[in-house]
């Protein structure tokens, strides 16, 4: 039980009908979850507007309605609170209702187009090794200490996010590392949280369908840094065109990392090959198990956050050197005999695929071939199919088009859409094999010793969804099996 007026702390209220001196037992934005005694906040979502469900919420027992637009009829027994923005109100109210736990732990948020999961996961692993009980909120998995909580595909809504933070605090977490996507920031899911630190990775022209213009996308990300308190740290990528703008108006202490110019956390890649990265980090030479140039950036961001949190340089570098990244993010398996490297990566947009193939190019020592296995999801944006196929052909020696998650679509038709992409010169480079396992098997058969195979699109996923049925499928597991079976 909590007093309504207490959980309204910081909410921008326009008017109140009824008394705020009452006890409430829950806060909800989904009318289906409302139980007697709850507060219902009508949030305008992308698809539905919560204002349509105010009556349902009252029928289910809501005693307080928080709204933006005037509801038609006000009921006697219900308290009505009109606010400027219900999404922001949900952020503050959830934070207050669940005990403002973000203020009792150190919460570090990561934003940017690519690398959020990787950076947040590395931070979680690092701080766990350093001896702190930590929480992780990512698009791949949520963890409280060693325990996996629930895997969602988006940053949770303000209510479940704050409920999760409370659980983390109750179980003794000292640090929490969370992805804070531009969607989440824009929808106020993290409004009200107190961050002790924030990291910016990079920005590319992704998610523009949602944010309409690039400037709007940058503005949303920047607002996260603008809202940081003065005691927090803000770490940004100096090599990204928008890196400095991000921190322009923040009150937090500013730090930069870079591979190219002077910066607080300066890296210089000495070796970047299949056996790892050797990098000078502020003049300390360190051998990392993670591979690829973009992981050099991710590692610098993580190093910076650890130093800003007061950790010891030598100790941090020693721990970071043995860490592996997030599952399915530039994740690799090397075959025992022929040393074929299979990289499993989540890249499922033209932009991400190009990124990963560019990173692979820099890893090549000499004339290893790059063989890419790639498919496109069904029931999703069809325009990216030919583009992804084209990107794969342009930056690989051989390509195998196959199925990703066809969902309700005909797998062969999706591949046909992909085949329309590559120009006539690239036609010789690819073959199409609908069955994903057969496609991976063919890639391995085509590979010479030390070649690199990229298996793109599914990353950490453990299933393949075909005609509405989810079958167990794990790219890494399949690769390991096939390396064995084919004696490579
Ligand atoms: N610093 C980076 N720069 C560019 N690409 C990266 C970087 N780190 C990881 N990647 C690649 O970008 C893709 C997404 O990585 P990751 O899942 O870590 O990012 P994310 O920001 O969490 O993405 P999402 O928005 O899907 O949650 C993968 O293909 C990964 O290998
Ligand atoms: Mg992610």
């Amino acid at each position: 039980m909590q007093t309504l007026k207490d959980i309204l702390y910081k909410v921008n209220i326009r008017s109140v009908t009824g008394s705020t001196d009452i006890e409430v037992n829950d806060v909800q934005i989904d009318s289906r979850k409302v139980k007697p005694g709850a507060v219902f906040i009508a949030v305008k979502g992308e698809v539905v507007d919560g204002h349509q469900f105010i009556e349902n919420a009252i029928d289910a027992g809501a005693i307080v309605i928080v709204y933006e637009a005037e509801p038609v009829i006000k009921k006697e027994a219900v308290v009505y609170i009109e606010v400027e923005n219900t999404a922001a109100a949900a952020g503050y109210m959830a934070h207050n209702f669940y005990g403002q736990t973000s203020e009792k732990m150190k919460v570090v948020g990561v934003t940017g187009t690519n690398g959020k999961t990787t950076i947040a996961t590395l931070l979680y692993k690092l701080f766990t090794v350093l001896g702190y009980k930590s929480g992780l909120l990512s698009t791949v998995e949520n963890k409280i200490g060693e325990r996996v909580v629930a895997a969602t595909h988006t940053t949770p809504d303000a209510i479940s996010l704050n409920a999760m933070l409370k659980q983390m605090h109750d179980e003794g977490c000292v640090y929490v590392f969370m992805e804070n996507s531009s969607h989440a920031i824009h929808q106020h899911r993290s409004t009200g949280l107190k961050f002790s630190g924030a990291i910016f990775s990079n920005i590319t022209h992704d998610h523009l369908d949602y944010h309409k213009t690039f400037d709007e996308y940058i503005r949303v990300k920047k607002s996260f840094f603008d809202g940081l308190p003065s005691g927090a740290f803000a770490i940004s990528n100096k090599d990204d065109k928008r890196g400095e703008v991000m921190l322009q108006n923040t009150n937090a202490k500013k730090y930069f990392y870079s591979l190219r110019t002077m910066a607080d956390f300066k890296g210089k890649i000495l070796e970047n090959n299949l056996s790892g990265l050797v990098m000078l980090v502020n003049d300390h030479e360190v051998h990392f198990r993670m591979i690829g140039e973009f992981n050099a950036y991710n590692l610098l961001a993580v190093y910076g956050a650890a130093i800003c949190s007061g950790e010891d340089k030598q100790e941090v570098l020693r721990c970071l050197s043995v860490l592996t990244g997030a599952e399915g993010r530039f994740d690799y398996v090397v075959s025992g005999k022929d040393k074929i490297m299979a990289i499993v990566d989540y890249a499922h947009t033209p932009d991400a695929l190009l990124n990963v193939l560019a990173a692979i190019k820099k890893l090549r020592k000499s004339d290893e071939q790059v063989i890419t296995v790639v498919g496109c999801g069904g029931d999703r944006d069809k325009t990216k199919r030919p583009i992804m196929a084209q990107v794969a052909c342009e930056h690989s020696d051989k390509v195998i088009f196959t199925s990703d998650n066809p969902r309700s679509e005909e797998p062969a038709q999706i591949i046909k859409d992909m085949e329309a992409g590559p120009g006539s010169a690239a036609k010789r480079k690819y073959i199409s094999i609908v069955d994903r396992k057969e496609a991976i098997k063919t890639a391995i058969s085509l590979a010479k010793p030390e070649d690199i195979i990229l298996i793109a699109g599914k990353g950490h996923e453990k299933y393949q969804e075909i005609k509405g049925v989810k079958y167990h499928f794990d790219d890494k597991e399949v690769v390991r099996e096939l390396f064995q079976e084919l004696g490579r």
Side-chain angles (χ1 to χ4, degrees):
M1 283 294 206
Q2 302 237 21
T3 309
L4 176 59
K5 90 171 169 257
D6 292 342
I7 61 172
L8 285 169
Y9 176 61
K10 282 197 179 171
V11 176
N12 210 330
I13 299 173
R14 286 199 164 132
S15 70
V16 177
T17 312
S19 168
T20 58
D21 230 337
I22 57 165
E23 300 278 292
V24 294
N25 61 12
D26 196 13
V27 176
Q28 285 297 348
I29 55 171
D30 182 340
S31 62
R32 292 164 299 186
K33 293 185 185 158
V34 169
K35 298 259 167 22
V39 177
F40 175 69
I41 309 171
V43 176
K44 285 179 184 157
E46 264 176 88
V47 199
V48 290
D49 182 351
H51 289 83
Q52 290 169 5
F53 303 102
I54 289 178
E55 292 310 310
N56 301 35
I58 294 172
D59 290 345
I63 54 171
V64 179
I65 300 295
V66 179
Y67 66 100
E68 267 173 49
E70 194 78 24
V72 203
I73 341 148
K74 283 188 181 163
K75 303 228 162 94
E76 193 76 44
V78 177
V79 178
Y80 290 85
I81 297 169
E82 186 182 335
V83 300
E84 195 177 285
N85 182 321
T86 43
Y92 290 118
M93 292 178 79
H95 187 237
N96 296 332
F97 183 79
Y98 286 100
Q100 307 176 334
T101 49
S102 71
E103 295 174 14
K104 299 170 186 164
M105 302 180 286
K106 290 185 176 166
V107 182
V108 177
V110 187
T111 197
T113 307
N114 291 308
K116 296 182 295 296
T117 297
T118 310
I119 292 172
T121 306
L122 281 172
L123 281 167
Y124 161 83
K125 290 186 179 181
L126 172 67
F127 279 78
T128 302
V129 178
L130 289 172
Y132 300 97
K133 183 152 184 183
S134 303
L136 172 68
L137 290 158
S138 85
T139 45
V140 173
E141 60 182 2
N142 299 328
K143 287 179 102 173
I144 301 180
E146 297 299 318
R147 189 159 61 84
V148 177
V149 186
T152 52
H153 269 272
T154 47
T155 315
D157 64 61
I159 312 282
S160 29
L161 175 58
N162 280 281
M164 186 85 82
L165 288 173
K166 177 172 189 313
Q167 205 176 335
M168 288 176 171
H169 180 253
D170 287 350
E171 294 189 28
C173 289
V174 180
Y175 277 94
V176 177
F177 304 102
M178 66 178 274
E179 286 188 42
N180 203 6
S181 69
S182 54
H183 284 60
I185 298 167
H186 187 232
Q187 294 169 356
H188 290 283
R189 282 180 259 164
S190 54
T191 294
L193 299 189
K194 183 181 167 213
F195 287 93
S196 68
I199 297 173
F200 169 71
S201 62
N202 50 58
I203 284 195
T204 61
H205 282 252
D206 212 0
H207 299 310
L208 287 196
D209 46 341
Y210 177 82
H211 291 292
K212 308 288 187 296
T213 68
F214 197 50
D215 286 345
E216 165 70 0
Y217 181 51
I218 291 165
R219 194 192 60 71
V220 169
K221 290 215 177 296
K222 184 172 173 292
S223 70
F224 173 43
F225 293 92
D226 293 352
L228 291 173
S230 57
F233 62 80
I235 302 179
S236 182
N237 179 354
K238 203 167 186 180
D239 298 346
D240 187 280
K241 242 189 7 219
R242 321 283 163 170
E244 292 188 76
V245 177
M246 280 297 143
L247 305 194
Q248 214 169 41
N249 304 99
T250 186
N251 289 318
K253 280 191 90 171
K254 304 175 197 185
Y255 299 90
F256 290 94
Y257 57 97
S258 170
L259 283 177
R260 303 198 220 292
T261 61
M262 284 305 293
D264 305 286
F265 308 110
K266 168 82 173 78
K268 182 170 192 278
I269 294 179
L270 302 178
E271 272 175 52
N272 171 23
N273 56 45
L274 301 180
S275 55
L277 268 168
V278 182
M279 179 161 60
L280 273 180
V281 179
N282 288 1
D283 296 328
H284 301 278
E285 184 175 325
V286 191
H287 193 141
F288 297 98
R289 275 175 67 180
M290 294 186 67
I291 56 170
E293 187 185 53
F294 57 65
N295 277 326
Y297 280 103
N298 296 337
L299 286 161
L300 282 175
V302 170
Y303 172 71
I307 298 309
C308 291
S309 304
E311 295 304 313
D312 177 70
K313 277 182 200 161
Q314 299 288 353
E315 180 72 353
V316 168
L317 290 175
R318 196 183 57 75
C319 296
L320 272 182
S321 70
V322 292
L323 287 189
T324 52
E327 210 190 344
R329 302 303 189 271
F330 222 68
D331 205 353
Y332 59 90
V333 182
V334 182
S335 74
K337 182 164 138 266
D338 292 334
K339 306 291 175 220
I340 298 167
M341 174 174 262
I343 297 175
V344 172
D345 193 274
Y346 188 52
H348 59 277
T349 61
D351 175 66
L353 189 61
L354 181 61
N355 224 344
V356 167
L357 283 164
I360 289 177
K361 213 169 260 179
K362 291 189 182 155
L363 275 178
R364 284 161 63 170
K365 283 194 298 273
S366 49
D367 58 350
E368 302 100 332
Q369 301 187 91
V370 176
I371 305 172
T372 298
V373 178
V374 63
C376 292
D379 304 336
R380 297 286 187 274
D381 183 10
K382 288 186 183 178
T383 60
K384 73 180 189 186
R385 293 176 189 170
I387 311 172
M388 281 182 69
Q390 162 61 23
V391 167
C393 287
E394 198 176 320
H395 300 278
S396 318
D397 298 292
K398 294 191 174 94
V399 180
I400 301 166
F401 296 150
T402 188
S403 304
D404 189 277
N405 289 317
R407 302 197 175 83
S408 74
E409 284 192 57
E410 192 53 58
Q413 184 56 46
I414 298 177
I415 293 175
K416 275 219 175 72
D417 293 343
M418 293 178 73
E419 288 169 347
S424 52
K427 291 255 188 274
R428 290 175 298 110
K429 272 195 185 172
Y430 72 80
I431 50 172
S432 301
I433 301 172
V434 173
D435 183 271
R436 193 170 177 92
K437 186 170 180 182
E438 278 306 311
I440 295 172
K441 190 171 185 175
T442 306
I444 297 173
S445 307
L446 289 171
K448 297 193 302 295
E450 296 187 26
D451 277 353
I452 304 171
I453 300 174
L454 169 66
I455 304 168
K458 295 179 56 60
H460 62 287
E461 288 176 4
K462 299 277 184 282
Y463 62 86
Q464 202 180 8
E465 187 181 338
I466 306 170
K467 300 257 162 83
V469 182
K470 281 191 178 178
Y471 299 89
H472 174 78
F473 199 99
D474 176 342
D475 284 345
K476 253 172 93 177
E477 184 183 290
V478 168
V479 169
R480 282 206 186 93
E481 264 171 40
L482 289 170
F483 275 156
Q484 281 276 323
E485 189 183 314
L486 300 172
R488 308 301 300 261

